[in-house]
Amino acid sequence: MWKTIPEITLSDGLTLPVIGLGTYTLKGKEGVNSILSAIDTGYRLIDSAYNYENEGTVGEAIRRSSAPREELKITSKLPGRYQTYDKAVTTIHESLYRANLDYYDVYLIHWPNPNQNTYIEAWQALIDAKKGGLIRSIGVCNFLPEHIERLEKETGVKPSMNQIELHPYFNQASQRKWHEENNIVTESWSPLARANEVLQNDALQQIANRHNKSISQVILRWHYQLGAISIPKSASFERQLENISIFDFSLEETDMSLISGLTRPEGRINNQDPATYEEF
Ligand SMILES: NC(=O)c1ccc[n+]([C@@H]2O[C@H](COP(=O)([O-])OP(=O)(O)OC[C@H]3O[C@@H](n4cnc5c(N)ncnc54)[C@H](OP(=O)(O)O)[C@@H]3O)[C@@H](O)[C@H]2O)c1
């Protein structure tokens, strides 16, 4: 199955599948079983974070899985409280030790925390860790264009990707366009809007019926056709399989516009605007 998931090439040459597994809340023994089931189902991209306290769970699933390490693409993220150069370096090592890995495929700064104003030195630590072979590709999450412009201006290095909140109620059209113009891949977090009422939307149900698919599949196909990588989280084997079974149909332009048209100015799930929201 995994060979049928299309891939996207980042600006630094790393290739990633267009769908990965979100792991927020997947922890411990049950978490290991869920991640193993996802790998068996065909997932090869796994999204973790220091703050999810599950890098160990991800590492254990990798250790038990029969998939070779080089087939897997593992992501983790630097938390706000360790956004100084020295703390970021130590945290990258700690993230690797927790997962028992030699390298992360992708390592991201979790939030810009603009008031804290230390993301430039944290970015320098990621740049140096990449040079040292600990990370293959470096990127950010929740960065606005002005934050990314500063990274490039002050270090000369642009992120390969930006992981942002993106779902039909918050379609991020202008941020996505800016990414495209700057050769930065968009990765969608909460791609199913955390299974909120969007999964009961009538218009989406009609599109789903026409294609004999579920609303979740229609939404994940929409992400794919937008050119974004999505990382839906599911603990269940059935829903994991459902979520990657989206490559045997396509949405017409009218469907794409209708789904994008569901966006709302206040569509964020928890009102986490990166211009002001900070996470540590
Ligand atoms: N960078 C950041 O700041 C940031 C922020 C938030 C999230 N993330 C990452 O993005 C990942 C995904 O986001 P998320 O976990 O917030 O939300 P999500 O993937 O949009 O939704 C997850 C929820 O949807 C349910 N679900 C999954 N597939 C389904 C299906 N086919 N039908 C019905 N329900 C389904 C899951 O339940 P079951 O598990 O029971 O299936 C779970 O409750 C996270 O896990 C995390 O890795 C990053």
Side-chain angles (χ1 to χ4, degrees):
M1 181 76 179
W2 70 273
K3 289 194 172 143
T4 65
I5 300 180
E7 293 190 323
I8 279 185
T9 304
L10 306 181
S11 56
D12 53 23
L14 185 72
T15 55
L16 296 178
V18 297
I19 289 210
L21 180 76
T23 67
Y24 179 55
T25 71
L26 297 181
K27 286 170 76 162
K29 193 173 167 189
E30 287 181 9
V32 170
N33 288 337
S34 290
I35 295 167
L36 266 175
S37 131
I39 296 172
D40 283 348
T41 310
Y43 288 78
R44 289 294 178 270
L45 170 64
I46 299 171
D47 183 76
S48 178
Y50 193 95
N51 268 354
Y52 302 167
E53 298 180 325
N54 69 356
E55 291 163 311
T57 297
V58 169
E60 181 60 14
I62 295 169
R63 196 183 65 75
R64 287 199 215 164
S65 143
S66 55
R69 170 68 185 97
E70 59 274 15
E71 259 179 29
L72 298 166
K73 305 289 164 68
I74 312 299
T75 300
S76 195
K77 314 189 189 91
L78 177 76
R81 65 188 177 286
Y82 298 138
Q83 261 193 31
T84 59
Y85 183 86
D86 289 345
K87 285 182 181 167
V89 169
T90 306
T91 304
I92 292 164
H93 293 153
E94 181 62 25
S95 279
L96 288 164
Y97 298 149
R98 288 181 181 195
N100 196 21
L101 293 176
D102 299 327
Y103 66 94
Y104 275 98
D105 297 276
V106 182
Y107 208 82
L108 309 171
I109 298 181
H110 209 146
W111 284 89
N113 287 7
N115 292 331
Q116 188 179 330
N117 196 23
T118 53
Y119 59 81
I120 300 289
E121 53 179 296
W123 184 241
Q124 192 59 55
L126 266 63
I127 293 170
D128 293 346
K130 181 174 185 240
K131 283 188 192 141
L134 302 181
I135 305 170
R136 294 175 71 192
S137 188
I138 55 175
V140 292
C141 308
N142 304 303
F143 272 48
L144 299 172
E146 71 215 49
H147 307 137
I148 295 178
E149 276 165 354
R150 261 194 79 199
L151 292 183
E152 194 183 6
K153 192 160 158 257
E154 298 193 30
T155 68
V157 181
K158 241 188 336 194
S160 61
M161 70 149 72
N162 191 9
Q163 186 185 109
I164 54 173
E165 177 172 359
L166 205 175
H167 44 74
Y169 286 163
F170 203 70
N171 77 24
Q172 297 266 22
S174 61
Q175 176 96 30
R176 280 190 289 105
K177 183 162 177 284
W178 191 87
H179 288 166
E180 246 176 70
E181 290 163 0
N182 287 277
N183 198 16
I184 293 169
V185 166
T186 300
E187 187 168 68
S188 312
W189 63 255
S190 294
L192 299 172
R194 282 206 182 143
N196 72 6
E197 77 276 6
V198 77
L199 296 191
Q200 271 86 52
N201 183 278
D202 285 342
L204 293 181
Q205 188 62 62
Q206 284 178 24
I207 297 174
N209 292 347
R210 213 172 344 105
H211 291 284
N212 207 12
K213 290 282 173 185
S214 68
I215 289 183
S216 298
Q217 288 172 318
V218 166
I219 293 175
L220 294 169
R221 180 75 199 186
W222 171 78
H223 285 276
Y224 169 54
Q225 289 186 214
L226 289 179
I229 296 176
S230 62
I231 45 168
K233 172 261 169 186
S234 181
S236 108
F237 164 75
E238 289 78 13
R239 287 189 288 279
Q240 289 169 355
L241 180 59
E242 177 184 339
N243 293 345
I244 53 168
S245 302
I246 60 158
F247 301 107
D248 55 357
F249 76 111
S250 68
L251 297 168
E252 290 155 19
E253 265 319 304
T254 46
D255 293 336
M256 289 294 291
S257 310
L258 189 150
I259 301 168
S260 296
L262 297 174
T263 199
R264 309 161 173 178
E266 305 299 321
R268 294 184 197 273
I269 302 167
N270 285 322
N271 197 26
Q272 295 171 333
D273 179 350
T276 48
Y277 175 80
E278 299 202 299
E279 201 168 286
F280 298 92

